[in-house]
Amino acid sequence: QVQLVESGGGSVQAGGSLRLSCVASAYSKCMGWFRQAPGKEREGVARLAHDGGLTSYADYADSVQGRFTMSQDRAKNTVYLRMNSLKPEDTAMYYCAAGGQSRADCSYTEAEGFHSWGQGTQVTVSS
């Protein structure tokens, strides 16, 4: 298990930006961001996978493609989610997750593959 602590959530107006951070207690090959709005199912947003080397590969849900960017500072065991052009429908609790999946199996559509989850940080976007 990896301990994960998210931060950076807040309230912004539509069109605004936020950067979420997730500090991990240890390195994981597969990191993901998920979100859950009240009354809705959890939704995968993005994932960052490593192939065993220094290169990381990001992938995004269609709903955030082109607006969100996931990145990592390996020296700090921290992943980020930069969110631009925020919309009211982005309002949700955002969770960071870690897993040991290979790059091929690391997917934001497979939440059950992640073994560690943070407590979440709330993002609220007003119109």
Side-chain angles (χ1 to χ4, degrees), residues 14-34:
S17 298
L18 284 173
R19 189 182 77 160
L20 306 183
S21 299
C22 172
V23 180
S25 60
Y27 166 76
S28 296
K29 291 193 297 184
C30 176
M31 298 293 295
W33 283 100
F34 295 80

Side-chain angles (χ1 to χ4, degrees), residues 26-98:
Y27 166 76
S28 296
K29 291 193 297 184
C30 176
M31 298 293 295
W33 283 100
F34 295 80
R35 65 186 182 187
Q36 188 166 21
K40 295 188 177 181
E41 293 186 354
R42 181 174 53 193
E43 175 190 16
V45 174
R47 65 83 163 155
L48 197 67
H50 293 89
D51 59 1
L54 296 178
T55 304
S56 60
Y57 302 87
D59 194 19
Y60 304 92
D62 290 344
S63 58
V64 305
Q65 180 74 46
R67 300 188 297 122
F68 290 12
T69 303
M70 187 173 180
S71 61
Q72 183 177 48
D73 184 333
R74 291 186 64 169
K76 296 181 179 180
N77 275 339
T78 301
V79 292
Y80 304 96
L81 186 68
R82 177 67 180 181
M83 306 185 295
N84 294 329
S85 301
L86 282 162
K87 304 175 181 180
E89 51 263 44
D90 294 318
T91 295
M93 184 70 79
Y94 282 71
Y95 299 92
C96 174

